[in-house]
Amino acid sequence: MKIDSQYLGKLRQLAGGNGESVTLHEGSSLIGLTEKLSEAHGDSFSIGKIRENSYVILINGIHYETLEAERTILKDGDTVVFMPVTMGG
Amino acid sequence: MEVVPMPGYQNRILRVNLTDRTFKEEPLSDDLIHDYIGGRGFGVKLLYDDLSPDIDPLGEENEIIFVAGPLAGTSAQSFSRWKIFFKSPLTGGYFMSSGGGHFASELKFSGFDVVIVKGKSERPVFLWINEGKYELRDASYLWGMDCDDTHNLIREELNNPRVRLACIGPAGENGVKFAGVFSDRRAAGRGGGGAVMGSKNLKAVAVRGNKKIDLADPEAFSAAVKEQVDRYRAAPHFKSFSRTGTQTPEFTNVLGIFPTRNFRGGVLPGIETMDGSVFNEIRARNTACHNCMIHCGSISKIESGRYKGSWSEGPEYETIWAFSGPILSSDIGLTVAADKLCDDMGLDSISTGNAIGFAYELYEKGVISKEDTGGLDLTYGNDKPVLNLIKQIALRKGIGDILAEGTREAARRIGKGSEQYAIHVKGLELPAYDPRGAKAHGLNYVTLNIGADHCAGYAGQEIFGAPFKGKAVDRFAIEGKGEITKWNQDDRAIWNCGVMCNFATGYIDLELYGRLLSAATGRKEFEDPDYLWLVGERIFNLERMFNIREGFGRKDDTIPERLQKEPMEDGPSAGKVFEIEPLLRQYYTVRGWDPETGIPSHAKLKELGLDFTIKA
């Protein structure tokens, strides 16, 4: 299945672009995606670093921790956004 | 008046009556300090005590109160916020607004914690406070000047480039109901404080001084500041926020709550042309408030396109939205040019953007036509009329005259069903977060005493996923949002005593904040987080009682029908509405307010030491 992986802020520099299509096995979870991304772009995309740096992950616009966190099962066509914490004012 | 030394504070309130050109100094009372700490606490208590209900917000009896907090001007970081308090001409109720820069610390250095101005001068004046002395000076020649020129000319007149000002532009002079007060391009923008100053013929307050701020325990204070600095440096997102500030409009777009077309949609097409990476390219340099190591401000400059040559300090997130989403434009140049024009004219960019977005929808619906707009084509996506409309609002020309009343009153005057397109709470236009996709954020809009504001109860739990009591928060859920909203509002009231910047409160906690307050002032009670929570809740409830005295109640805790009945059109929040009734019920229960009237119970008021607000 294909996941639309999007990056905002400084994560774009780390990923080398605004986003990409990532191919995963059917039934893969978010951690499957972060493992694949950390292999490609470095440890910043590992779930441990994401937690340590308080990065936000949205799965189709929903905060991943309100779903099943890193165990959330992804579906073909899902959009996953990775972004640093920011504020508006 | 003999000044009694009091650590943390200058222990002086200056009262100015512009009608008879008299001045009076007062010390801070021990009860005021104990019960309200400073900043927002002082502001609401003084305003509540001073004003009678039903006064005209633009009349002589209204006051505008300028307050610097007990930590302003010290080496503690991010406490250089100044606050203004007044009865709002936009909402008819209690109002507070806040700005950054250097005015708060300079006010302290000039020898005062609080300046209260009432009455009306016969001719334009500015108030000059210098090293504990003060005078009114003629400002007739400044009337009509924009804010930048006013700063320059007053500094020239006083022969001192280090003077700091809080001033109004033409919008405030012309009584635009959402005119703000500006200090070096930083704004206490919301609610019409600029119109209140204009109604008094008060062009500016200028301050300068070198008075020392005593500290109760300098050693403990230094240690607390060092710990604060260390915590900033260790925070994972400190560096990135230092660089970008709030110039990242994409963060709400991916949640589908970036309001478009007057709060119909939640995703702006083409936002990638003005997202954080593009702002990084146009940022000439960063700017900072007094003693703030975050330096999140930006000087932005446009080098190409229709707005080539435009620059501004900012635009911040809200302003970026105000001149894109409402009119369906994604031209970064317009956001910069409109930001500068609002700063120069002295306009709140949030309400200005909303007023323009409202006009665009009226045009689309055929409620107004080119005859009403003076030939301007207000079709979505056409951003050409925007700068013209901003000027018309500030100068009250053409259609700008009616938009200058704010969307609630403009809709009432226009009629023809336009009320449904006025997106406000209590008369204050909504900020750049659609509440249908963030329920606690929306409940805060509904219940805030000043109307729809994002700063005084920001639901970070929904916007960027901060846990609440250790648990993740579903932004669409209703359950539990009353408690979260109360927590966010009381929490902000606590930090607003310092007065600490909202962008910095995430780096420290109440324990360290309490130590900073206590070491500066010598007040041991400020070290106790439970005591701080009590003060925060007290402040919020006193603000509520100000409005209750004015006739506000449950009927005013509402939100436009569009957001309750029309499902979000697009994006990750598509299909959602704002369920006001169950949310409000929860909130009143958690607050200890009567669910039928929205009035705090006598038991709650007594618990908070607000017995004096209970009618006999």
Side-chain angles (χ1 to χ4, degrees):
Chain A
M1 63 180 181
K2 290 193 182 301
I3 303 298
D4 180 16
S5 189
Q6 298 287 325
Y7 315 111
L8 300 182
K10 68 178 180 183
L11 290 166
R12 282 185 180 166
Q13 294 156 353
L14 298 172
N18 294 355
E20 62 194 306
S21 178
V22 180
T23 303
L24 295 175
H25 295 297
E26 287 291 335
S28 293
S29 64
L30 177 62
I31 203 159
L33 176 63
T34 59
E35 282 172 356
K36 193 148 189 175
L37 293 177
S38 51
E39 279 172 23
H41 307 308
D43 194 38
S44 293
F45 288 89
S46 71
I47 203 73
K49 283 289 179 191
I50 284 167
R51 286 192 187 284
E52 186 181 321
N53 290 316
S54 305
Y55 292 149
V56 175
I57 304 176
L58 302 174
I59 300 173
N60 301 321
I62 310 295
H63 289 289
Y64 78 115
E65 289 189 320
T66 65
L67 301 168
E68 297 296 320
E70 62 268 32
R71 294 185 302 280
T72 305
I73 301 298
L74 301 177
K75 302 186 303 297
D76 185 47
D78 278 352
T79 298
V80 181
V81 176
F82 295 83
M83 62 178 180
V85 167
T86 185
M87 284 173 273
Chain B
M1 187 193 80
E2 188 186 347
V3 179
V4 180
M6 182 177 285
Y9 307 92
Q10 295 293 20
N11 194 20
R12 287 207 297 184
I13 296 172
L14 176 63
R15 288 184 179 273
V16 183
N17 188 324
L18 294 173
T19 305
D20 54 18
R21 298 175 71 89
T22 55
F23 299 89
K24 186 181 169 197
E25 290 186 30
E26 292 173 5
L28 301 172
S29 78
D30 190 66
D31 284 349
L32 184 68
I33 292 172
H34 174 268
D35 293 349
Y36 295 95
I37 301 175
R40 181 167 161 189
F42 283 7
V44 64
K45 182 61 165 62
L46 291 164
L47 200 72
Y48 185 93
D49 287 348
D50 284 1
L51 297 193
S52 301
D54 298 326
I55 63 159
D56 175 3
L58 298 179
E60 289 186 34
E61 290 172 290
N62 199 8
E63 293 181 345
I64 184 158
I65 303 179
F66 298 82
V67 183
L71 294 174
T74 71
S75 59
Q77 297 292 296
S78 316
F79 285 96
S80 198
R81 300 292 296 183
W82 48 284
K83 293 188 84 72
I84 53 174
F85 302 84
F86 50 93
K87 182 175 176 180
S88 167
L90 190 62
T91 70
Y94 163 82
F95 214 91
M96 60 168 175
S97 191
S98 179
H102 298 255
F103 183 80
S105 44
E106 201 65 37
L107 177 59
K108 289 281 287 290
F109 298 149
S110 80
F112 293 94
D113 304 286
V114 180
V115 176
I116 303 174
V117 183
K118 70 182 301 183
K120 179 179 180 179
S121 174
E122 271 186 25
R123 61 176 193 277
V125 291
F126 74 89
L127 171 63
W128 168 220
I129 304 173
N130 183 20
E131 278 292 317
K133 296 178 179 165
Y134 32 80
E135 63 177 310
L136 292 170
R137 295 174 73 102
D138 179 50
S140 301
Y141 78 103
L142 296 166
W143 212 247
M145 300 277 186
D146 71 31
C147 292
D148 243 9
D149 288 346
T150 300
H151 276 72
N152 292 333
L153 288 164
I154 288 180
R155 284 169 172 150
E156 277 182 29
E157 177 180 326
L158 300 172
N159 196 26
N160 191 333
R162 301 188 68 181
V163 168
R164 299 294 177 177
L165 293 106
C167 80
I168 61 169
E173 297 169 8
N174 293 323
V176 176
K177 298 286 174 59
F178 45 87
V181 181
F182 288 72
S183 184
D184 287 317
R185 300 183 295 273
R186 301 273 181 160
R190 306 228 70 193
V196 174
M197 281 180 69
S199 73
K200 298 183 177 308
N201 276 329
L202 178 65
K203 181 68 174 174
V205 176
V207 292
R208 177 71 187 137
N210 290 294
K211 290 193 180 292
K212 191 169 161 273
I213 298 164
D214 291 330
L215 299 169
D217 186 342
E219 210 169 295
F221 189 77
S222 290
V225 172
K226 182 180 181 308
E227 190 174 334
Q228 182 190 17
V229 170
D230 289 345
R231 289 206 202 173
Y232 276 43
R233 287 189 176 135
H237 33 80
F238 171 71
K239 275 189 185 168
S240 61
F241 188 72
S242 284
R243 183 179 182 212
T244 66
T246 67
Q247 293 182 319
T248 51
E250 63 273 25
F251 83 104
T252 49
N253 209 56
V254 293
L255 293 168
I257 59 170
F258 188 89
T260 64
R261 293 158 51 247
N262 206 23
F263 287 81
R264 282 183 274 181
V267 176
L268 181 67
I271 201 166
E272 61 278 4
T273 63
M274 50 172 236
D275 70 10
S277 61
V278 188
F279 272 103
N280 285 342
E281 291 169 15
I282 67 164
R283 184 174 301 114
R285 65 173 167 86
N286 283 102
T287 61
C289 298
H290 184 262
N291 272 354
C292 183
M293 59 192 280
I294 304 177
H295 54 72
C296 66
S298 293
I299 299 293
S300 303
K301 191 176 176 198
I302 299 298
E303 302 283 9
S304 61
R306 181 185 299 153
Y307 302 97
K308 183 178 177 180
S310 300
W311 70 276
S312 77
E313 181 166 358
E316 299 283 345
Y317 166 75
E318 288 289 337
T319 306
I320 296 167
W321 165 78
F323 300 107
S324 59
I327 57 165
L328 223 54
S329 159
S330 56
D331 190 326
I332 194 171
L334 174 66
T335 70
V336 172
D339 182 37
K340 181 66 164 66
L341 190 54
C342 284
D343 285 355
D344 286 345
M345 294 288 112
L347 284 167
D348 169 27
S349 57
I350 298 175
S351 285
T352 303
N354 268 287
I356 291 172
F358 167 72
Y360 269 64
E361 182 162 13
L362 295 189
Y363 189 83
E364 179 197 59
K365 295 289 195 307
V367 177
I368 60 173
S369 66
K370 279 189 178 172
E371 275 184 29
D372 304 293
T373 66
L376 298 175
D377 173 15
L378 306 189
T379 303
Y380 283 112
N382 177 23
D383 66 16
K384 288 180 191 166
V386 171
L387 297 183
N388 195 344
L389 284 169
I390 293 172
K391 281 184 194 160
Q392 288 190 24
I393 290 170
L395 302 175
R396 282 188 170 273
K397 303 282 187 194
I399 194 171
D401 188 31
I402 199 162
L403 297 176
E405 292 295 316
T407 56
R408 179 173 65 178
E409 177 61 15
R412 193 187 68 78
R413 293 188 188 184
I414 293 167
K416 302 178 191 171
S418 59
E419 291 87 348
Q420 64 187 299
Y421 310 123
I423 308 298
H424 67 89
V425 174
K426 301 181 177 77
L428 187 70
E429 287 78 12
L430 263 64
Y433 305 80
D434 195 302
R436 290 171 292 192
K439 304 298 167 71
H441 210 68
L443 186 54
N444 176 56
Y445 290 169
V446 170
T447 56
L448 266 185
N449 299 302
I450 63 172
D453 170 73
H454 59 296
C455 295
Y458 194 100
Q461 302 88 353
E462 294 178 334
I463 309 300
F464 50 82
F468 182 70
K469 297 187 174 174
K471 288 186 180 171
V473 174
D474 176 354
R475 64 191 174 97
F476 299 128
I478 295 169
E479 194 55 40
K481 295 302 171 69
E483 183 188 5
I484 291 173
T485 302
K486 176 185 181 295
W487 192 95
N488 288 335
Q489 292 172 339
D490 292 350
D491 179 63
R492 275 312 95 186
I494 296 168
W495 296 101
N496 283 173
C497 291
V499 177
M500 195 179 204
C501 177
N502 282 359
F503 300 145
T505 56
Y507 298 131
I508 66 172
D509 54 23
L510 284 186
E511 189 274 330
L512 179 53
Y513 175 51
R515 270 193 284 137
L516 285 165
L517 283 170
S518 179
T521 65
R523 297 276 173 158
K524 287 295 170 195
E525 65 269 32
F526 297 170
E527 277 184 16
D528 177 5
D530 289 340
Y531 182 74
L532 298 179
W533 280 109
L534 173 69
V535 173
E537 189 175 7
R538 176 182 293 144
I539 289 168
F540 197 87
N541 277 265
L542 183 55
E543 292 170 339
R544 182 75 176 183
M545 291 310 292
F546 183 104
N547 278 357
I548 297 294
R549 192 171 66 176
E550 296 284 348
F552 284 60
R554 178 165 183 154
K555 68 182 189 323
D556 303 290
D557 292 337
T558 187
I559 204 160
E561 204 166 276
R562 160 166 290 169
L563 302 168
Q564 299 179 49
K565 293 193 173 166
E566 294 178 25
M568 171 67 84
E569 288 182 356
D570 54 19
S573 299
K576 303 295 181 187
V577 294
F578 187 78
E579 303 90 341
I580 190 167
E581 283 305 320
L583 286 162
L584 204 50
R585 210 163 35 241
Q586 276 181 49
Y587 177 82
Y588 286 154
T589 302
V590 174
R591 276 269 175 223
W593 296 356
D594 185 319
E596 301 302 318
T597 64
I599 298 175
S601 68
H602 286 190
K604 173 55 70 179
L605 293 170
K606 286 177 181 170
E607 173 194 325
L608 296 172
L610 297 174
D611 312 50
F612 61 90
T613 65
I614 300 171
K615 279 185 187 169

